[in-house]
Amino acid sequence: MGRKSKPGGPGGDDGPESSAPAPSMGMANGLAGMMAANPMLAGNPFLMAAMMNNPLLAAGRPQGGTAAQSEPPISTMIDPDVQELCDYFHIEERHARRLSDIMKNRQKTFVEDMERLYDVLERANSPAGLLVVKMREMEEGTFVGKVKADKELAALSKKHRLDDQAESKLADILARYDEERRREYLVEIERHLEVSSRPSAMAMMLLRKLGEGQPLGRPGPPAPGSYIDKQQREQRGGSDRGSGGDRGGGRDRDRSRDRRGGDRDRDRDRRGDRDRDKDRDRDRDRDGSRRGGGE
């Protein structure tokens, strides 16, 4: 007996079966299926070896006996802040997912955007419908987040006691203009607020012209209770006190007239008394004359 050579080596005693490479687990399963479908393949080892060495068949079999790894699924988590907003306004989940996807691309203005959404949705009759509009503005690049009032506007707001809504609206609109135009508008706005007894309402009335870039026009006369009206009354403080003295003098004159009227009444009463006394005297004289004539 000669020495057994290695499988596949020259002069080996093994048959063709020994020269074929050992099939992997995945390949063995594939061949088993093919042999089950075609029993003639099992009786032809040469054909089976040729099929195993076919590069086209090798490309289709799994490597390392493991299945191909699928791509990791895309995260469907909704941002917690977005979820909180949608829960607060009872927004549907599909809108919440869309908003969460949009906000992923607005991380630099995330806080301002969310504050603006809370602000506008709070006053909306249909928060869900308005949110759809605002999401479309975000996608188009026209949405502006909440803008904080600068020092000049904050001072103006404090001077005229503007409410939060009026201050916020003015800040949003003025932020659209450059520094020079914004300062010009602040001067015009203050002139209108100074003559109004309801500055916050006046500010809201000016928003349309501000948004359209129109001049605000000349302010009207100072309304009672307005800032200018109060300033004018303070400046007239001395004259008001003087006029108050006149009013007091008028009351004194009224009392004097009352006293004079009372004196006239008393004089009339005295004259009436004297007249009655004279009438009585005449009556007595007549009675005496009659009695004297009768005697």
Side-chain angles (χ1 to χ4, degrees):
M1 293 178 61
R3 186 173 58 88
K4 180 182 284 190
S5 62
K6 293 182 180 180
D13 296 335
D14 294 336
E17 296 86 346
S18 60
S19 62
S24 63
M25 182 66 68
M27 185 183 298
N29 293 334
L31 291 175
M34 295 174 64
M35 288 187 292
N38 190 355
M40 298 295 295
L41 185 62
N44 193 340
F46 294 100
L47 181 59
M48 184 174 65
M51 294 180 63
M52 293 178 64
N53 295 326
N54 191 332
L56 295 178
L57 295 177
R61 66 176 181 261
Q63 299 296 326
T66 58
Q69 297 291 333
S70 61
E71 295 182 359
I74 299 175
S75 176
T76 58
M77 293 291 293
I78 299 176
D79 185 277
D81 293 328
V82 173
Q83 186 66 61
E84 182 178 357
L85 179 139
C86 293
D87 289 342
Y88 182 80
F89 292 106
H90 307 289
I91 305 295
E92 298 178 18
E93 183 179 352
R94 58 191 180 96
H95 295 322
R97 292 188 181 280
R98 179 184 173 189
L99 178 60
S100 182
D101 292 339
I102 293 174
M103 296 306 296
K104 290 176 182 178
N105 300 323
R106 301 178 65 91
Q107 292 301 312
K108 291 183 179 180
T109 59
F110 187 93
V111 176
E112 292 80 4
D113 291 347
M114 295 299 292
E115 289 179 355
R116 168 60 59 209
L117 289 177
Y118 271 105
D119 187 26
V120 297
L121 296 181
E122 189 73 45
R123 299 188 298 270
N125 294 327
S126 175
L130 185 57
L131 178 61
V132 173
V133 175
K134 294 305 176 183
M135 287 191 294
R136 184 163 57 248
E137 291 179 1
M138 291 181 183
E139 293 171 342
E140 296 173 351
T142 60
F143 180 84
V144 179
K146 188 176 181 64
V147 179
K148 295 182 179 180
D150 57 15
K151 293 182 180 179
E152 290 83 0
L153 180 57
L156 181 69
S157 177
K158 182 178 180 181
K159 176 180 178 181
H160 296 285
R161 299 180 181 180
L162 299 181
D163 56 32
D164 293 339
Q165 182 179 0
E167 179 182 325
S168 177
K169 291 287 187 181
L170 289 175
D172 289 341
I173 293 182
L174 293 176
R176 306 176 187 176
Y177 300 101
D178 56 27
E179 185 68 16
E180 181 179 359
R181 185 57 176 146
R182 190 181 62 81
R183 290 183 180 275
E184 293 175 355
Y185 263 143
L186 282 173
V187 173
E188 292 187 62
I189 292 170
E190 184 165 15
R191 289 174 181 170
H192 285 268
L193 297 183
E194 286 177 341
V195 299
S196 176
S197 58
R198 299 172 58 197
S200 295
M202 174 60 71
M204 299 298 289
M205 293 174 60
L206 298 175
L207 293 178
R208 182 180 62 83
K209 290 185 177 181
L210 289 171
E212 296 175 354
Q214 300 179 6
L216 302 184
R218 297 180 58 184
S226 64
Y227 179 84
I228 289 183
D229 179 65
K230 293 177 182 178
Q231 294 293 318
Q232 291 176 348
R233 282 189 294 172
E234 290 179 1
Q235 292 175 0
R236 294 195 309 263
S239 59
D240 287 344
R241 287 192 293 272
S243 62
D246 293 340
R247 288 193 295 271
R251 288 193 294 271
D252 293 338
R253 287 193 295 272
D254 292 339
R255 286 194 292 270
S256 298
R257 285 194 293 269
D258 291 340
R259 285 195 296 271
R260 287 196 297 271
D263 293 340
R264 286 193 295 270
D265 292 338
R266 284 192 292 273
D267 291 339
R268 285 194 297 270
D269 292 339
R270 293 191 190 100
R271 286 196 297 270
D273 293 340
R274 286 195 295 269
D275 292 338
R276 284 193 294 273
D277 292 339
K278 290 179 181 179
D279 292 337
R280 284 196 296 272
D281 292 339
R282 284 194 296 270
D283 292 339
R284 284 195 294 269
D285 292 340
R286 292 191 195 98
D287 292 341
S289 298
R290 292 192 193 98
R291 286 194 295 271
E295 293 175 353

